[in-house]
Amino acid sequence: MKDAVRIQEEDFSQDEEITALKTSSQRMGGIATFLGCARDFSEGREVSRISFEAYGSMALSEMKQLRLDAIEKFKLLDARIVHRICTVTAGDNIVFIAAGAEHRAPALEACRYMIDELKERVPIWKKEITPEGDAWVSPHP
Amino acid sequence: MKDAVRIQEEDFSQDEEITALKTSSQRMGGIATFLGCARDFSEGREVSRISFEAYGSMALSEMKQLRLDAIEKFKLLDARIVHRICTVTAGDNIVFIAAGAEHRAPALEACRYMIDELKERVPIWKKEITPEGDAWVSPHP
Amino acid sequence: MINVLFFGPVVERTGSAALKIEFMPGMTLQILRDELAEKYPRAFEIVSLAAVNGQHVRDFSIPLIDNSEVTFMAKFSGG
Amino acid sequence: MINVLFFGPVVERTGSAALKIEFMPGMTLQILRDELAEKYPRAFEIVSLAAVNGQHVRDFSIPLIDNSEVTFMAKFSGG
């Protein structure tokens, strides 16, 4: 079975991730997921491709810690985080978060917590490649 | 492509549902899903199987309306709702909700709204089949 | 005729999933409910919702129309 | 030696992804930062985060240890 936290170039399958998540417990009544995808527009500009760069070792250890933090904070039965580092085009998958709990509320809340925290804590940068040139993305302050 | 709102006996694939959801727009940056599964314990009792019964025509029309309500309320690009009506065992999928939006916040909020509202509005009943006998489930008041 | 449907936990207490009730002019949802509750008191202990022709109805004073499909339901437990 | 790493938008402004800086006793993260900011002022306009050996550091007064890996980073934009 694949690791619960991964940085990888290749795409992932949600069915596979959910199946892996479920193996950890037969008491999992609610699974919430968040999937981040590449859009073809950003702030009004047309985006052809998006490329990602990571401080790999730190990004992976931050993601692992984030998973443990979420499991503890929301009493999850399990959680998974996968981020692709590669160049993607519109519609492609970028990031996948899954949270499994006995009931739906903690699963949904943990899913939101993990994607919000990932954006704050994990050293990954996005470059938008547009017909007018490339630009690293500055997140909103 | 399968309908965005369905009641069915057979299992569903999340990869398939997400692929279908994505076809509606290239501007979808965030997809939130909720998957409800059968647990092997409920309120301390061991549950062997869970069976569902629906007022089919009304359940389907309420689910369709709920999808439209969520799309309007959260400005979603698309949404899907699938509920199985059959007998399931621990770990099996029961219900699937997906919400796709330009950004993550409305997708996550809409997902939560749809599963909460589904439980209030859609005429489906659950029977738990335990070693001690069967019992229809009364939701908490 | 009014077509009355029951589901799940309610059927378990009425013993039947469908009934035909003679339509009477002036019949309201409340009148039909009271008639059925007298016949199936245990079932109506758990009835908390009603629908007419597949639409939720909260106001039981609405008049019924002949050939309507009426459902008295226990609280939902799907999802 | 202190191994300094830069990534993404910062590399674009420093022109290099890795530097080796002579370690000096008493060197703090702030001293290193100021030295580099003088050399790469445009890069440090967008630097808002730092890590030492892969750990977020908010207090720049911490002393550095020889052979540490130090990163000065622009705001993250993953996910």
Side-chain angles (χ1 to χ4, degrees), chain A residues 74-118:
Chain A
F74 298 96
K75 307 276 172 275
L76 301 180
L77 294 166
D78 203 359
R80 299 177 78 83
I81 308 177
V82 183
H83 202 301
R84 293 178 72 192
I85 297 295
C86 59
T87 298
V88 296
T89 62
D92 286 351
N93 295 332
I94 296 168
V95 62
F96 177 77
I97 305 258
E102 287 199 39
H103 298 286
R104 71 187 188 281
L108 288 158
E109 284 158 23
C111 186
R112 169 135 213 186
Y113 168 82
M114 283 191 278
I115 184 64
D116 286 352
E117 286 285 307
L118 182 143

Side-chain angles (χ1 to χ4, degrees), chain D:
Chain D
M1 285 292 178
I2 300 291
N3 299 298
V4 177
L5 302 179
F6 298 123
F7 294 94
V10 178
V11 175
E12 199 176 51
R13 292 169 178 229
T14 59
S16 59
L19 297 174
K20 290 202 181 292
I21 301 285
E22 188 79 32
F23 172 75
M24 291 173 305
M27 198 180 210
T28 63
L29 190 59
Q30 187 67 46
I31 290 170
L32 178 62
R33 189 206 170 279
D34 293 345
E35 186 180 324
L36 290 166
E38 200 166 320
K39 204 165 161 193
Y40 304 108
R42 282 196 60 247
F44 278 75
E45 279 169 17
I46 60 166
V47 163
S48 61
L49 299 156
V52 176
N53 297 324
Q55 303 285 325
H56 284 287
V57 174
R58 273 160 198 94
D59 177 5
F60 278 47
S61 69
I62 60 154
L64 293 176
I65 292 161
D66 200 5
N67 296 312
S68 294
E69 180 176 283
V70 178
T71 321
F72 293 101
M73 303 175 286
K75 249 195 129 189
F76 308 147
S77 53

Side-chain angles (χ1 to χ4, degrees), chain C residues 2-65:
Chain C
I2 300 291
N3 297 298
V4 177
L5 302 180
F6 297 122
F7 294 94
V10 179
V11 175
E12 200 177 50
R13 292 169 178 229
T14 59
S16 59
L19 297 175
K20 291 202 180 291
I21 301 285
E22 189 79 32
F23 173 74
M24 290 174 305
M27 197 181 212
T28 62
L29 189 59
Q30 187 66 49
I31 290 169
L32 178 62
R33 189 208 169 279
D34 293 346
E35 186 180 324
L36 290 167
E38 199 164 323
K39 205 165 161 192
Y40 304 107
R42 282 197 59 249
F44 278 75
E45 279 168 18
I46 60 166
V47 163
S48 60
L49 299 156
V52 177
N53 297 323
Q55 303 286 325
H56 284 287
V57 174
R58 274 161 198 92
D59 177 4
F60 277 48
S61 69
I62 60 154
L64 293 175
I65 293 162

Side-chain angles (χ1 to χ4, degrees), chain A residues 1 3 22 48 50 54 60-61 75 84-86 100 102 111 116 124:
Chain A
M1 203 167 72
D3 284 348
K22 279 183 178 179
S48 317
I50 298 175
L60 191 63
S61 74
K75 307 276 172 275
R84 293 178 72 192
I85 297 295
C86 59
E102 287 199 39
C111 186
D116 286 352
I124 297 177

Side-chain angles (χ1 to χ4, degrees), chain B residues 1-20:
Chain B
M1 200 168 74
K2 287 172 180 159
D3 284 347
V5 177
R6 308 194 305 279
I7 290 179
Q8 63 188 39
E9 196 177 323
E10 66 273 21
D11 198 7
F12 44 80
S13 152
Q14 277 170 107
D15 283 336
E16 223 176 84
E17 297 298 325
I18 295 299
T19 302

Side-chain angles (χ1 to χ4, degrees), chain A residues 6-134:
Chain A
R6 307 193 307 279
I7 290 180
Q8 63 186 40
E9 195 177 323
E10 67 272 21
D11 198 7
F12 44 78
S13 152
Q14 277 169 108
D15 283 335
E16 223 176 85
E17 296 300 325
I18 295 299
T19 301
L21 187 81
K22 279 183 178 179
T23 58
S24 63
S25 174
Q26 294 269 63
R27 307 186 65 166
M28 209 177 273
I31 297 171
T33 78
F34 177 78
L35 177 66
C37 308
R39 300 189 300 137
D40 63 350
F41 278 89
S42 172
E43 322 265 310
R45 287 176 302 116
E46 198 181 325
V47 177
S48 317
R49 283 173 298 150
I50 298 175
S51 89
F52 289 90
E53 184 178 332
Y55 177 10
S57 58
M58 180 178 171
L60 191 63
S61 74
E62 285 290 326
M63 283 162 59
K64 284 181 178 170
Q65 188 56 51
L66 174 54
R67 170 176 173 271
L68 296 176
D69 291 350
I71 288 174
E72 195 191 327
K73 188 176 165 79
F74 298 96
K75 307 276 172 275
L76 301 180
L77 294 166
D78 203 359
R80 299 177 78 83
I81 308 177
V82 183
H83 202 301
R84 293 178 72 192
I85 297 295
C86 59
T87 298
V88 296
T89 62
D92 286 351
N93 295 332
I94 296 168
V95 62
F96 177 77
I97 305 258
E102 287 199 39
H103 298 286
R104 71 187 188 281
L108 288 158
E109 284 158 23
C111 186
R112 169 135 213 186
Y113 168 82
M114 283 191 278
I115 184 64
D116 286 352
E117 286 285 307
L118 182 143
K119 288 176 180 266
E120 292 295 318
R121 286 162 55 169
V122 179
I124 297 177
W125 298 269
K126 180 185 337 201
K127 182 161 71 176
E128 291 180 347
I129 300 164
T130 76
E132 294 82 39
D134 303 356

